[in-house]
């Protein structure tokens, strides 16, 4: 390989999800309980297919597994199952609670960690902690149901099952010898003081495409056992492979088909159903597996007893090669791929001296790469139903996602979390692309392009939110992400991909127009949008019909649109340097921003504006049916979002765009009402630089003063989403139908809005904190080091904006590293089990830094990797 390093050389091939990327961790960790698999009349996905049903139900739209991989269209799947010789079922899938079973919404109840991966998945590693005592399935359900929303969640560690170290550390590793040659190693370490039995079942199977009644998918592939040597894989799309297993006890075969008899009391289509291997191993049913060693699902069985403190290594190889000694070069290849991974990250992390920081960042990147998933959803077929299956209830045609029949997703996408959120979420995905761009810019760019393609985006220009409701409205952050990814790619390669920018820009134009046409209800450049991803942050559900009637004008919706305008302006300027025609588009978004900013500034003496002079803060405004209006004075992230609308136009850039520069100057000279919205300064030798921001001068100072106040938004661990002021001063809203109240709740949600599984009334969320940091960086670029703010507020400590941003970054990082007592805040006293492995929680307690929500939502919390990098990058 060249001096780029072997992994960078592979990435330079830019072959999308083919070649070295054809095989990867593309299985989900939970397919049961998803909208796609729900064919019920009620539309209650969580209750339609349960965890208990999952081992017996053949899925229609995707496959799940533990530490699994598949090809890039998920035809052939591979994952692990385990048995501790005590459980009533195999551990084939991670267990978790549904929304109805838990006091704070759905939640996985397992301990597992993504430890390493290269971008092409030439090497990857994952750790699972499997209890040796009977897994407490029912106890987790029963105890959780007893708890109210005011109590914390009942976790697996609370059951005491790990107290005596009676568990296995199971490391699952993959190393590729070539594009179609995958070495698999499982290391089981007994952490207890007594010997313990375990059965390890590496399992390979085909996604079921043949049972649904489509002629083009009528083909049924086959797995065949060849003695005790290997399992032959023969698929007309993927090709022919052999799964070699070293010293296997036996091969077990069944079919990936539903056990109708167990689930519905009706005859089975196959005698050897999907749960056959489970029944053979656990229930000793010798008739549950096919004695002819053929089927569409097969496991390699290894059963052994691991001595106290000992470990055992199991090795397999999935390859197109025919090998007489498949494990002769195993260790050599494994070592080479691990070296490739070390070389790749060694170069990426060369400016980070601390080994602990490098390890934390590398595992954040590993989580980003492990949570790729092949996402499949043809909405038209899902609504219509399949020829060989019962016709869905008629209500489906007017039900969920019925307006999205054009949508046909079948792509490798970055998931928020492959158990709790095993479906793309549009605005989550935008944040994912930043750390992903550091690893694999082409994959990051492809993510943004796919979500805007015509088979995702609605013909009216709306971007689909997530499968529970594609029509929900997420914040418009995709233009921001596009620009950030462009900058990262340009930094890495020395030249910007303007073709990528232009391609995305045209799609974003459609979406921007959708916002303008549908979310500016009064036509006055003040926007709504509904919940905008922030669930229960408001007085009431902003996506539902208001209990008061009327409509909302939202400070966050308007702030997001001002930000969107500036993002589009910056992209248009960059494209215009190569194609001057785009100067017209830059002018369009320049003026659009000014009109939005003007509306928020209440130009023309209109007193009904979103800025409250008494509180010096932005609020949502409720317009009532009687024509009156009222500010909803909740001090929340909603009022900080206008901070995100900021851009700096340098004289160097303006000189390259003469037509756009003339338009800017015309506005300055002829529209004093709008010119007053543009800050400008002159520096000898540099010329004019202009700041475009909703927040200028006094308002900027007031927002930062409140944001940096430790009695309000500033926590020891970052910026809260709700001011701590509301802990002693809850916001109370009275209306004819009753009273609504907003309290500061720094941890889990205490209400049921949006299922009660996320909370924006106090905790710390990484995406919002990162946008704050990015905005502060732009303000710092304009104001320089001489402009100072007090940080924290009322401390008497003055510093420039850049240093204040660094102070916020260090507080965010503090959640992940030991404090002066040696405790890692996010683990809440449980760091012993986590040791050198890291979790990346969905959000964090606003007072203690405890990790909350989805345990493995590496997605946007993976932004910690960017923060670590920025803290170690020299100015």
């Amino acid at each position: 390989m060249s001096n780029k390093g072997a992994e960078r050389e592979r990435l330079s091939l830019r072959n999308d999800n083919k070649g070295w990327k054809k095989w990867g961790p593309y299985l989900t960790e939970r397919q049961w309980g998803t909208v796609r698999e729900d064919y019920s009349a009620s539309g209650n996905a969580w209750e339609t297919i349960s965890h208990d049903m999952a081992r017996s139900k053949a899925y229609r739209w995707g496959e799940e597994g533990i530490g699994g991989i598949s090809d890039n269209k998920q035809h052939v799947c591979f994952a692990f199952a385990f048995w501790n010789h005590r459980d009533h079922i195999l551990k084939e899938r991670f267990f978790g609670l549904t929304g109805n079973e838990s006091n704070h919404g759905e939640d996985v109840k397992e301990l597992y960690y993504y430890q390493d991966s290269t971008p092409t998945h030439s090497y990857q590693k994952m750790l699972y902690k499997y209890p040796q005592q009977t897994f407490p399935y029912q106890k987790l359900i029963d105890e959780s149901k007893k708890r109210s929303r005011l109590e914390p969640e009942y976790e697996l560690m609370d059951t005491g099952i790990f107290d005596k170290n009676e568990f296995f550390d199971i490391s699952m590793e993959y190393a590729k010898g070539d594009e179609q040659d995958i070495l698999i190693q499982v290391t089981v370490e007994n952490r207890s003081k007594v010997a313990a039995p375990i059965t390890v079942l590496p399992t390979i199977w085909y996604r079921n495409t043949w049972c649904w009644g489509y002629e083009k998918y009528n083909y049924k592939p086959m797995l065949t056992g060849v003695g005790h040597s290997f399992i032959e894989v023969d698929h007309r799309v993927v090709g022919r492979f052999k799964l070699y297993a070293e010293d296997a006890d036996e091969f077990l075969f069944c079919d990936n088909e539903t056990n109708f008899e167990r689930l519905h009391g009706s005859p089975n289509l196959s005698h050897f159903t999907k749960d056959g291997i489970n029944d053979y191993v656990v229930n000793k049913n010798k008739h549950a597996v096919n004695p002819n060693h053929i089927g569409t699902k097969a496991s390699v069985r290894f059963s052994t007893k691991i001595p106290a403190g000992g470990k055992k290594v199991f090795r397999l190889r999935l390859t197109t090669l025919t090998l007489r000694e498949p494990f002769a070069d195993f260790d050599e290849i494994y070592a080479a791929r691990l070296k490739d991974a070390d070389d790749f990250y060694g170069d990426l992390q060369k400016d980070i001296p601390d080994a602990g920081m490098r390890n934390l960042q590398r595992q954040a990147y590993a989580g980003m790469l492990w949570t790729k998933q092949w996402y499949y959803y043809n909405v038209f077929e899902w609504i219509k139903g399949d020829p060989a299956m019962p016709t869905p209830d008629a209500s489906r045609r007017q039900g969920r996602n019925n307006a999205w029949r054009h949508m046909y997703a079948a792509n490798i996408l970055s998931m928020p979390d492959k158990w709790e959120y095993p479906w793309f979420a549009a605005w989550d995905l935008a944040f994912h692309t930043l750390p992903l761009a550091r690893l694999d810019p082409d994959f990051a760019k492809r993510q943004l392009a796919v979500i805007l393609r015509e088979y995702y985006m609605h013909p009216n220009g709306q971007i689909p939110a997530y499968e529970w409701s594609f029509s929900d409205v997420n914040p418009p952050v995709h233009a921001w992400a596009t620009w950030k990814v462009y900058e990262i790619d340009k930094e890495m390669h020395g030249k910007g991909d303007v073709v990528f920018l232009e391609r995305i820009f045209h799609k974003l134009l459609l979406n921007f127009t959708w916002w303008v046409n549908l979310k500016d209800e009064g036509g006055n450049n003040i926007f709504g949008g509904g919940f905008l991803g922030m669930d229960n942050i408001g007085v009431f559900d902003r996506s539902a019909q208001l209990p008061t009637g009327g409509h909302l004008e939202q400070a966050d919706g308007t702030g997001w649109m001002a930000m969107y305008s500036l993002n589009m302006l910056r992209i248009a300027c960059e494209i215009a340097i190569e194609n001057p025609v785009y100067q017209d588009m830059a002018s369009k978004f320049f003026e659009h921003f000014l009109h939005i900013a003007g509306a928020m500034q209440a130009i023309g003496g209109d007193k009904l504006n979103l800025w409250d002079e008494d509180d010096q803060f932005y609020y949502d405004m409720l317009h009532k049916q009687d024509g009156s209006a009222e500010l909803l004075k909740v001090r929340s992230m909603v009022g900080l979002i206008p901070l995100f609308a900021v851009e700096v136009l340098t004289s160097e850039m303006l000189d390259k765009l003469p037509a756009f520069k003339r338009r800017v100057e015309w506005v300055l000279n002829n529209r004093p009402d709008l010119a007053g919205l543009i800050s400008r300064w002159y520096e000898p030798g540099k010329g004019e630089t202009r700041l475009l921001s909703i927040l200028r001068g006094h308002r900027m100072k007031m927002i930062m003063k409140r944001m940096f106040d430790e009695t309000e938004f500033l926590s020891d661990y970052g910026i809260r989403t709700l001011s701590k002021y509301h802990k002693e001063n809850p916001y109370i809203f009275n209306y004819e139908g009753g009273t609504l109240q907003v309290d500061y709740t720094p941890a889990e949600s205490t209400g049921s809005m949006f299922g009660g599984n996320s909370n924006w009334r106090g905790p710390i969320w990484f995406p919002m904190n990162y946008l704050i940091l990015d905005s502060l960086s732009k303000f710092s670029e304009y104001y320089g080091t001489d402009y100072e703010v007090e940080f924290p507020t009322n401390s008497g400590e003055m510093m420039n904006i850049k240093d204040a941003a660094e102070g916020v970054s260090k507080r965010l990082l503090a959640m992940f590293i030991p404090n002066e007592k040696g405790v890692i805040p996010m683990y809440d006293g449980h760091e012993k089990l986590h040791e050198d492995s890291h979790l990346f929680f969905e959000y964090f307690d606003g007072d203690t830094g405890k990790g909350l929500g989805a345990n493995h939502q590496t997605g946007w919390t993976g932004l910690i990797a960017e923060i670590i990098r920025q803290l170690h990058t020299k100015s």
Side-chain angles (χ1 to χ4, degrees):
M1 293 291 179
S2 74
N3 58 9
K4 288 182 178 180
E7 184 64 13
R8 281 288 174 207
E9 190 75 21
R10 295 179 194 115
L11 288 170
S12 70
L13 300 175
R14 301 190 179 192
N15 51 13
D16 297 333
N17 295 310
K18 304 179 182 67
W20 278 86
K21 295 182 190 175
K22 181 170 182 177
W23 291 86
Y26 307 141
L27 289 181
T28 185
E29 283 160 2
R30 178 179 61 82
Q31 188 71 9
W32 64 272
T34 60
V35 165
R36 283 159 290 158
E37 301 299 338
D38 175 18
Y39 282 82
S40 68
S42 65
N44 189 344
W46 278 110
E47 310 305 323
T48 301
I49 302 178
S50 65
H51 177 271
D52 179 67
M53 295 171 66
R55 69 178 181 273
S56 305
K57 169 74 175 176
Y59 294 124
R60 170 66 173 88
W61 297 102
E63 294 292 337
E64 66 197 2
I66 296 175
I69 63 171
S70 76
D71 65 278
N72 59 2
K73 293 298 180 184
Q74 210 177 93
H75 292 294
V76 178
C77 308
F78 177 93
F80 296 95
F82 307 102
W83 188 46
N84 59 12
H85 292 235
R86 292 178 182 265
D87 288 346
H88 72 289
I89 55 172
L90 296 179
K91 180 66 69 172
E92 288 184 274
R93 57 191 49 79
F94 291 134
F95 175 71
L97 305 184
T98 70
N100 290 337
E101 291 171 335
S102 175
N103 57 327
H104 290 294
E106 62 267 26
D107 187 25
V108 66
K109 300 298 184 184
E110 305 272 8
L111 280 181
Y112 58 99
Y113 310 84
Y114 309 116
Q115 294 184 309
D116 209 357
S117 183
T118 59
T120 66
H121 312 293
S122 57
Y123 175 77
Q124 56 188 75
K125 182 180 182 181
M126 181 176 170
L127 174 67
Y128 172 51
K129 293 182 180 291
Y130 184 33
Q132 293 169 2
Q133 297 299 318
T134 303
F135 194 89
Y137 291 104
Q138 196 59 45
K139 186 176 184 181
L140 285 164
I141 296 172
D142 293 342
E143 292 295 324
S144 295
K145 284 185 175 180
K146 293 177 185 176
R147 298 197 174 194
S148 73
R149 293 197 187 278
L150 301 179
E151 297 173 276
E153 293 176 347
Y154 185 68
E155 303 291 2
L156 181 60
M157 285 182 286
D158 297 330
T159 67
I161 201 164
F162 292 108
D163 288 354
K164 298 179 181 179
N165 284 343
E166 293 178 332
F167 65 91
F168 297 107
D169 268 340
I170 303 177
S171 293
M172 295 159 275
E173 296 174 89
Y174 299 89
K176 294 180 183 177
D178 208 333
E179 295 177 2
Q180 305 264 62
D181 182 19
I182 305 166
L183 284 62
I184 304 161
Q185 179 168 288
V186 192
T187 304
V188 182
E189 182 176 0
N190 183 358
R191 297 291 299 274
S192 76
K193 296 180 179 179
V194 296
I198 188 157
T199 293
V200 178
L201 293 154
T203 302
I204 192 164
W205 72 100
Y206 300 118
R207 177 169 57 88
N208 189 321
T209 59
W210 56 87
C211 279
W212 317 111
Y214 295 97
E215 187 175 341
K216 63 179 178 178
Y217 298 128
N218 212 19
Y219 163 72
K220 183 177 179 179
M222 194 62 64
L223 299 166
T224 307
V226 180
H228 285 82
S229 300
F230 59 86
I231 296 171
E232 186 173 65
V233 181
D234 189 359
H235 193 285
R236 67 182 181 187
V237 175
V238 181
R240 305 186 88 175
F241 286 77
K242 295 179 178 65
L243 178 64
Y244 295 99
E246 186 178 47
D247 302 325
D249 294 341
E250 61 181 327
F251 297 154
L252 305 172
F253 291 78
C254 63
D255 285 315
N256 183 22
E257 297 188 20
T258 297
N259 186 339
F260 289 100
E261 184 176 330
R262 174 177 181 257
L263 298 182
H264 309 295
S266 57
N268 287 323
L269 301 177
S270 169
H271 182 67
F272 307 105
T273 53
K274 178 179 175 179
D275 49 13
I277 294 169
N278 175 89
D279 292 351
Y280 174 87
V281 174
V282 177
N283 302 327
K284 313 303 180 190
N285 181 357
K286 302 296 184 182
H287 303 292
V289 295
N290 194 325
N292 296 318
H293 280 201
I294 58 172
T296 51
K297 176 182 176 182
S299 290
V300 177
R301 185 178 72 84
F302 301 100
S303 289
T304 189
K305 181 172 280 192
I306 312 287
K311 64 181 178 181
K312 174 74 174 176
V313 177
F314 306 94
R315 303 196 299 182
L316 304 99
R317 188 166 185 170
L318 179 64
T319 181
T320 55
L321 303 173
T322 299
L323 301 170
R324 185 178 298 275
E325 297 183 64
F327 301 99
D329 57 353
F330 190 100
D331 291 340
E332 179 185 350
I333 294 172
Y334 174 91
R337 293 298 86 80
L338 184 55
K339 182 180 183 303
D340 292 347
D342 289 342
D343 289 347
F344 176 82
Y345 285 107
D347 178 63
L348 193 66
Q349 300 177 313
K350 59 181 178 292
D351 295 325
I352 303 174
D354 183 76
M357 285 296 100
R358 293 196 301 271
N359 183 42
L360 172 61
Q361 187 190 54
R362 184 162 170 173
Q363 288 191 30
Y365 285 138
M368 300 301 307
L369 296 167
W370 267 96
T371 47
K372 292 180 183 180
Q373 178 186 321
W374 184 70
Y375 182 81
Y376 183 37
Y377 190 13
N378 180 332
V379 177
F380 176 76
E381 287 187 356
W382 178 77
I383 290 175
K384 176 172 64 72
D386 299 314
M389 294 292 135
T391 302
D393 189 85
S395 62
R396 180 173 294 254
R397 293 194 292 275
Q398 286 77 44
R400 177 179 285 133
N401 296 329
N402 72 87
W404 293 80
R405 300 183 191 210
H406 70 284
M407 186 162 173
Y408 189 158
N411 302 94
I412 304 296
L413 297 176
S414 176
M415 295 294 126
D417 179 282
K418 290 208 293 190
W419 194 95
E420 188 146 344
Y421 304 112
W423 24 260
F424 78 88
W427 82 303
D428 299 58
L429 185 63
F431 292 105
H432 299 182
T433 59
L434 274 67
L436 284 169
R438 294 284 173 200
L439 305 169
D440 185 354
D442 288 313
F443 181 75
K445 288 185 285 186
R446 184 176 175 83
Q447 294 296 285
L448 291 165
V450 164
I451 205 74
L452 299 172
R453 292 294 300 272
E454 61 276 7
Y455 44 85
Y456 280 75
M457 180 184 277
H458 197 280
N460 65 17
Q462 185 178 8
I463 297 172
Y466 47 83
E467 69 176 35
W468 286 91
S469 177
F470 286 133
S471 293
D472 273 352
V473 184
N474 282 173
V477 291
H478 298 83
W480 172 83
T482 297
W483 179 251
K484 299 300 290 186
V485 168
Y486 172 83
E487 286 189 307
I488 292 170
D489 186 34
K490 186 176 182 178
E491 175 190 330
M492 294 175 67
H493 293 111
K495 182 175 178 6
D497 186 352
V498 177
V499 172
F500 158 72
L501 269 191
E502 191 170 4
R503 179 186 182 192
I504 299 296
F505 183 82
H506 284 280
K507 295 292 186 178
L508 291 171
L509 272 177
L510 299 174
N511 180 245
F512 188 91
T513 303
W514 175 83
W515 271 91
V516 170
N517 288 341
L518 291 180
K519 296 303 172 183
D520 178 9
E521 189 163 331
N524 57 2
N525 292 299
I526 298 292
F527 291 82
F531 89 120
L532 286 176
M534 286 184 284
D535 298 3
N536 60 352
I537 199 168
V539 179
F540 27 66
D541 182 349
R542 300 188 301 174
S543 289
Q545 186 174 354
L546 301 182
T548 60
H551 71 278
L552 278 179
E553 290 181 336
Q554 297 175 212
D556 57 337
T558 308
W560 286 122
M561 282 303 289
M563 171 185 163
Y564 199 171
S565 298
L566 290 180
N567 298 149
M568 294 294 277
L569 163 62
R570 188 64 189 88
I571 292 171
C573 286
E574 188 77 3
I575 301 171
I577 292 172
E578 291 194 8
N579 185 348
V581 170
Y582 280 82
Q583 292 181 84
D584 290 344
M585 297 307 299
S587 297
K588 165 190 163 55
F589 286 106
F590 171 69
E591 295 196 31
H592 212 121
F593 164 76
L594 292 180
H595 287 295
I596 294 173
M600 292 196 79
Q601 294 274 18
I603 284 178
D606 183 356
K607 294 182 179 180
L608 294 178
N609 63 86
L610 305 182
W611 176 261
D612 183 68
E613 285 293 341
D614 294 334
D615 289 357
Q616 298 289 292
F617 202 64
Y618 284 107
Y619 297 118
D620 286 348
M621 180 175 287
L622 173 63
H623 286 266
K624 302 178 183 178
Q625 289 179 312
D626 63 6
S628 64
E630 176 183 353
L631 286 176
L632 302 176
K633 294 191 175 185
V634 179
R635 298 183 191 174
S636 75
M637 182 62 70
V638 163
L640 300 182
I641 285 171
L643 186 77
F644 302 162
V646 56
E647 189 57 70
V648 177
L649 303 181
T650 65
S651 58
E652 291 88 347
M653 183 182 73
L654 289 171
D655 287 343
K656 296 175 183 177
L657 306 170
F660 175 60
K661 183 178 182 180
R662 285 194 299 272
R663 186 60 184 169
V664 172
E665 291 172 344
W666 186 94
V667 170
L668 291 174
N669 294 327
N670 294 279
R671 289 291 303 272
D673 55 333
L674 298 179
L677 302 171
I678 307 171
S679 296
R680 53 196 294 198
W681 56 265
Y682 182 82
E683 179 180 317
K686 189 170 184 179
E688 289 278 359
T689 297
R690 296 183 173 87
L691 176 75
L692 300 179
S693 172
I694 287 177
L695 300 176
R696 295 169 46 251
H698 176 71
R699 290 191 183 183
M700 182 191 73
K701 287 181 180 180
M702 290 300 99
I703 290 290
M704 288 191 185
K705 180 179 180 179
R706 199 177 292 280
M707 185 171 71
F708 293 149
D709 189 336
E710 292 180 310
T711 67
E712 293 225 31
F713 286 98
L714 183 63
S715 161
D716 288 341
Y717 305 104
I719 306 297
R720 303 178 176 104
T721 48
L722 189 77
S723 171
K724 200 171 183 178
Y725 166 83
H726 289 302
K727 182 176 182 179
E728 303 297 333
N729 303 276
Y731 177 76
I732 298 174
F733 178 78
N734 297 303
Y735 69 107
E736 289 185 6
T739 299
L740 297 170
Q741 182 167 314
V742 176
D743 304 273
Y744 170 73
T745 53
E748 290 98 342
S749 176
T750 57
S752 60
M753 196 183 299
F754 285 86
N757 65 336
S758 65
N759 185 20
W760 289 83
R761 292 184 173 179
I764 293 150
W765 291 79
F766 257 80
M768 310 310 286
N769 273 261
Y770 192 84
L771 284 168
I772 289 169
L773 294 175
D774 191 54
S775 299
L776 292 176
S777 175
K778 292 178 181 177
F779 282 115
S780 175
E781 179 186 347
Y782 177 76
Y783 285 108
T785 57
D786 294 335
Y787 186 96
E788 292 189 327
V789 295
E790 190 180 21
F791 184 89
T793 300
N794 300 322
S795 68
E797 294 290 326
M798 302 300 293
M799 62 184 69
N800 61 52
I801 296 174
K802 181 180 179 182
D803 290 341
E806 185 174 311
V808 175
S809 294
K810 288 179 177 177
R811 291 176 182 232
L812 290 165
L813 183 59
M815 291 186 286
F816 293 82
I817 58 179
N819 58 22
E820 65 279 359
K821 297 179 181 179
V823 173
I824 299 174
M826 68 177 177
Y827 293 135
D828 191 37
H830 290 296
E831 39 286 302
K832 178 178 74 77
L833 277 176
H834 303 296
E835 296 174 332
D836 198 33
S837 298
H838 298 286
L839 294 173
F840 299 86
F841 293 88
E842 184 179 359
Y843 56 99
F844 301 84
D845 188 302
D847 291 340
T848 69
K850 176 185 176 182
L852 301 164
N855 297 2
H856 305 85
Q857 181 152 346
T858 307
W860 56 27
T861 305
L863 287 165
I864 190 64
E866 277 293 285
I867 290 172
I868 291 171
R869 181 185 177 281
Q870 289 162 7
L871 286 172
H872 291 86
T873 299
K874 297 176 182 178
S875 302

